[in-house]
Amino acid sequence: MKNLRSRKSSISGIASPFNLGGRFGTVIFLILSIFLFAFSTTNNQYFSGARTTVMDGVSPVINAVGLPFQNLSKSVSSLSGLSTLRAENTKLKAENVRLREWYQTALMLQAENQAYHRLLNVKIDAQQNFITSRVISDNSNSFVKSAILASGKDQAVEKNQAVLSGEGMIGRIIEVGEKTSRILLLTDINSKLPILIEGTSQKAIMAGDNSLLPVVKHLPKDTSLTVGSRVVTSGDGGIFPPGLPVGRLVKKSGAFSVQLYGNLDKILFVRILNTSKPSLMEINN
Amino acid sequence: MNNFFSYENMNRLGRFFFFYSIILLLLSFEFINFFSISLKSYQPTFIYIVVFFWSVYRPSLLPPILLFVVGVVQDILLLYPVGLHAILLLVFQFFIVRQRLFLLGQTHFALWMIFSVSCFLLLSLEWFVFSIYHWSIYDFEGLAVKGIISILVYPFVSLLFWWVYKILPTAYKSGQSFIDG
């Protein structure tokens, strides 16, 4: 009897540390899952709060697990990059000389532009600055292309801000938690971006199709476009500022697509465009 | 009180803790980018390996509530319709547990083949639901590669699980046999 009591009070006889659910557990949780699924397909917006809470809660774990792998990846790439470093250095030197010439031209054009703005009394655009953030989790898979950033409301990140990596835009903020936020990449099937094709001033919509090359849609039938043209945001809709670099025009199976400037393969850090309204003093100046 | 903190109990708890840590580590791989985003879509799906192996050998370690929570969290983090993975995992476990006696009598190679078919069925179901959900045909090629990689990875993960299985405390309860898990 004494032995039996001591066995009951101990955990040594259990098959698992938590045996919740019982015999009907599967049925109960299956019904609950079906209900959740049906509800989420019709009312996905109600899960936004839950998503951000889970994101904030799970991010330290993902961060801790992912950090050694990220460091390992960085070390491997730096080791393999040593052999190409010399060639890259020569190329960069040549590019630097060319850029210095362009810098002088840009300064001249900037002064000229400012003079025209003053002459025409143009309204000042919103001031832009950047929030730099680390990518803590890449959730891209066959169906959804997104990533989680280590910045949220605490760092003034807001929904619908443009996210840039390297040389161009790569996505937009769709969910913001206290300490984390989520980007929907431009390659995702749900991503639509109003664009302008430079050189022709043709406006269109760039739509993601889960491939690396988003397609250009809503082009007039007789539009003649040049492959390689620069693609920037048009600013239509008022969500993103105009002129943000996006990519260059390419042809994919007969249709026009965009090769993004931002390298999606190597996004460790991103810049979130923080567009703030200019103050009255700035406008007066 | 003294009994709870005995060496035997702490030893058992430690082994369970180790088991769930390994599972958590494997599941978190779903959200980590090892190589590049373009290769991310092909990363193996560890959750189906976990559910298959442990539903065959120790289903009591993966109770329905745990599969439900894991499925919902995964859906939330991956931007899937909430509940999809929970349904798939629970149904998958239900079928495996029903065929457990048969599966326990199979060779490792036969289990691997059964997992391969199950994995492709589950990925096809995901693909079907997403295609209906967004009313567009998704690319199946990437998913097929993901499935093949998951199948290739299975023997290595199951080797690790065999080792974990050996160090887990024995599954006995009053009136419960090994087969009960």
Side-chain angles (χ1 to χ4, degrees), chain A residues 26 30, chain B residues 27 45 47-49 51 55 66-72 74 83-96 122 126:
Chain A
T26 305
L30 194 58
Chain B
L27 297 187
T45 169
I47 182 71
Y48 293 145
I49 303 177
V51 173
S55 296
L66 185 68
L67 291 186
F68 174 77
V69 171
V70 166
V72 169
Q74 204 170 13
L84 174 65
H85 264 114
I87 296 172
L88 290 175
L89 297 180
L90 287 165
V91 170
F92 186 36
Q93 194 194 39
F94 176 77
F95 281 111
I96 298 295
L122 288 163
E126 276 187 32

Side-chain angles (χ1 to χ4, degrees), chain A residues 270-281:
Chain A
V270 292
R271 287 180 302 157
I272 305 163
L273 191 67
N274 188 9
T275 314
S276 57
K277 298 261 184 301
S279 65
L280 203 63
M281 197 179 278

Side-chain angles (χ1 to χ4, degrees), chain A residues 51-65:
Chain A
R51 284 187 199 279
T52 51
T53 310
V54 171
M55 249 160 50
D56 280 344
V58 175
S59 63
V61 178
I62 296 172
N63 207 3
V65 175

Side-chain angles (χ1 to χ4, degrees), chain A residues 135-230:
Chain A
V135 179
I136 52 169
S137 170
D138 156 31
N139 296 342
S140 294
N141 52 60
S142 298
F143 307 115
V144 184
K145 307 288 176 191
S146 77
I148 296 176
L149 306 179
S151 305
K153 282 177 192 163
D154 291 355
Q155 288 79 29
V157 176
E158 287 170 23
K159 204 175 165 181
N160 283 328
Q161 285 176 332
V163 180
L164 293 97
S165 167
E167 295 163 12
M169 187 174 168
I170 57 158
R172 68 185 166 97
I173 301 286
I174 55 163
E175 280 172 353
V176 190
E178 296 299 324
K179 289 175 172 39
T180 54
S181 52
R182 189 196 292 272
I183 332 169
L184 186 74
L185 298 175
L186 291 176
T187 49
D188 187 273
I189 204 160
N190 290 309
S191 171
K192 308 277 184 287
L193 180 73
I195 52 165
L196 178 85
I197 296 148
E198 278 189 355
T200 60
S201 299
Q202 179 62 55
K203 286 182 177 180
I205 297 288
M206 187 184 83
D209 61 353
N210 279 3
S211 74
L212 281 172
L213 304 172
V215 290
V216 180
K217 287 187 171 175
H218 304 296
L219 280 171
K221 274 182 184 172
D222 53 347
T223 320
S224 61
L225 298 172
T226 320
V227 170
S229 299
R230 198 165 170 263

Side-chain angles (χ1 to χ4, degrees), chain A residues 12-13 15 137-139 182 265, chain B residues 31 38 40 58 76-77 172:
Chain A
S12 58
S137 170
D138 156 31
N139 296 342
R182 189 196 292 272
D265 277 351
Chain B
F31 312 103
S38 48
K40 179 72 169 56
R58 285 284 287 272
I76 283 176
L77 288 174
Y172 93 87

Side-chain angles (χ1 to χ4, degrees), chain A residues 6-7 9-22 25-26 29-30 32-34 36-38 40-42 44 47 50-52 54-55 58 61-62 65-66 69-70 73 136-148 174-175 182-185 189-190 210 212 264-267, chain B residues 3-4 8-9 12-13 16 20 24-25 28-41 58 60-61 63-66 68 72-73 75-84 86-87 90-91 93-94 123 126-127 129-130 133-134 136 138-139 142-143 146 169-174 176 181:
Chain A
S6 85
R7 181 181 281 182
S9 65
S10 76
I11 57 157
S12 58
I14 61 170
S16 120
F18 52 98
N19 247 332
L20 300 167
T26 305
F29 287 109
L30 194 58
L32 196 61
S33 308
I34 293 168
L36 265 178
F37 178 69
S40 73
T41 48
T42 50
N44 201 23
F47 288 90
R51 284 187 199 279
T52 51
V54 171
M55 249 160 50
V58 175
V61 178
I62 296 172
V65 175
F69 292 104
Q70 279 187 3
S73 168
I136 52 169
S137 170
D138 156 31
N139 296 342
S140 294
N141 52 60
S142 298
F143 307 115
V144 184
K145 307 288 176 191
S146 77
I148 296 176
I174 55 163
E175 280 172 353
R182 189 196 292 272
I183 332 169
L184 186 74
L185 298 175
I189 204 160
N190 290 309
N210 279 3
L212 281 172
L264 292 179
D265 277 351
K266 290 171 188 168
I267 47 165
Chain B
N3 213 356
F4 183 82
E8 191 195 1
N9 281 347
R12 277 170 184 272
L13 271 183
F16 280 129
Y20 286 110
L24 185 71
L25 185 75
S28 59
F29 284 172
E30 191 84 35
F31 312 103
I32 295 163
N33 185 16
F34 293 106
F35 309 106
S36 66
I37 282 192
S38 48
L39 291 174
K40 179 72 169 56
S41 307
R58 285 284 287 272
S60 60
L61 291 173
I65 189 171
L66 185 68
F68 174 77
V72 169
V73 169
D75 289 337
I76 283 176
L77 288 174
L78 292 174
L79 266 183
Y80 277 34
V82 181
L84 174 65
I87 296 172
L90 287 165
V91 170
Q93 194 194 39
F94 176 77
L123 289 175
E126 276 187 32
W127 175 82
V129 171
F130 261 88
Y133 186 63
H134 288 294
S136 59
Y138 275 85
D139 168 40
L143 213 61
K146 186 189 180 87
T170 49
Y172 93 87
K173 252 181 170 178
S174 51
Q176 192 176 37

